[in-house]
Amino acid sequence: MRDSVVSVMCLCMVLIGSPALAKPDQKSRNHDPQAMTETYQKLATPGEQHKKLAEREGTWTTHTKSWMKPSQPPDESTGTCEMRMILDGRFLQQDCTGEMMGQPFSGINVTGYDNYTKQYVSTWKSTMGTGLFVMHGTSGKDGTTITLKGNHPDPYEGTMKHRAVWKTHDSNTQTFTMYHIGKNGKEMKGMEIQYERKQ
């Protein structure tokens, strides 16, 4: 009896997985190839958000403050970031060098705007770790302030949550401020980067 039940279950799984016998997906069957092509092309076309990102292109000097604890003075360092649009104006890439906690530092940030999800997406990778830090967020209508949220695994905290605010003050100054969110839900200012455009 048990063998019969197993056989019937296996047969059902084969029939469900068989393209010839499975019920066709009505939605996918009605897709018009031309309309699909036009949709994908539209989603892949840089828009106003990408133009605002392009305004940040250039060479910037940085002054970074990092806090391990709010009661302690921040670690301070200077550096340089080169910002340029890549992939035909779809993403802004930062190549940064300097010091972090007394050690030489280099990092790469790529920020873009996803036309489909209507969100900014930002990725960081650096010599401070081997992981990829990803954040998502939105901006105000003028596109000068981007607010991002993300998290990453941490050997001491488990999962570290973050909120970051990247603000353009004018064509020559901008700031990036990151807050750590503790298990109690309270925020602590963890890092602040002041950018000044090199003339």
Side-chain angles (χ1 to χ4, degrees):
M1 178 67 177
R2 182 176 177 278
D3 290 341
S4 298
V5 172
V6 171
S7 298
V8 170
M9 288 178 63
C10 290
L11 178 61
C12 288
M13 292 175 67
V14 170
L15 291 176
I16 291 172
S18 172
L21 297 175
K23 186 176 180 180
D25 183 347
Q26 188 72 24
K27 188 175 181 181
S28 63
R29 188 177 64 178
N30 291 337
H31 283 328
D32 173 49
Q34 180 62 32
M36 289 176 65
T37 299
E38 292 174 358
T39 296
Y40 287 124
Q41 286 178 341
K42 183 177 180 181
L43 291 174
T45 302
E48 289 302 314
Q49 291 83 0
H50 304 90
K51 291 178 183 178
K52 294 300 292 185
L53 286 174
E55 292 177 3
R56 302 175 191 233
E57 282 189 300
T59 303
W60 302 78
T61 57
T62 60
H63 181 202
T64 302
K65 295 180 180 180
S66 301
W67 289 265
M68 295 299 290
K69 292 183 179 179
S71 58
Q72 295 179 349
D75 176 76
E76 299 189 43
S77 62
T78 58
T80 302
C81 285
E82 183 74 34
M83 299 189 194
R84 60 190 175 90
M85 295 300 287
I86 61 172
L87 299 176
D88 299 326
R90 290 173 174 83
F91 299 91
L92 178 67
Q93 178 169 312
Q94 288 190 67
D95 294 285
C96 301
T97 57
E99 283 191 1
M100 188 72 69
M101 298 179 184
Q103 299 294 321
F105 167 85
S106 61
I108 299 171
N109 167 251
V110 177
T111 301
Y113 180 80
D114 188 329
N115 288 330
Y116 181 60
T117 64
K118 301 190 183 308
Q119 282 194 324
Y120 289 87
V121 59
S122 177
T123 62
W124 267 104
K125 45 248 177 215
S126 75
T127 53
M128 297 295 290
T130 55
L132 184 65
F133 183 39
V134 182
M135 303 184 84
H136 295 84
T138 58
S139 74
K141 290 184 178 180
D142 61 2
T144 60
T145 302
I146 301 172
T147 302
L148 302 158
K149 292 183 179 181
N151 60 70
H152 73 275
D154 182 85
Y156 295 101
E157 297 293 328
T159 298
M160 286 284 291
K161 295 182 179 180
H162 304 277
R163 181 176 71 89
V165 179
W166 190 9
K167 182 174 179 59
T168 297
H169 300 282
D170 55 49
S171 60
N172 294 315
T173 57
Q174 52 183 313
T175 55
F176 181 87
T177 309
M178 181 176 287
Y179 302 89
H180 305 312
I181 304 171
K183 294 179 180 179
N184 59 3
K186 293 184 178 180
E187 287 188 340
M188 182 193 94
K189 192 175 186 178
M191 182 173 66
E192 179 183 86
I193 305 173
Q194 297 179 349
Y195 295 82
E196 290 193 9
R197 188 185 296 276
K198 279 191 176 181
Q199 301 299 322

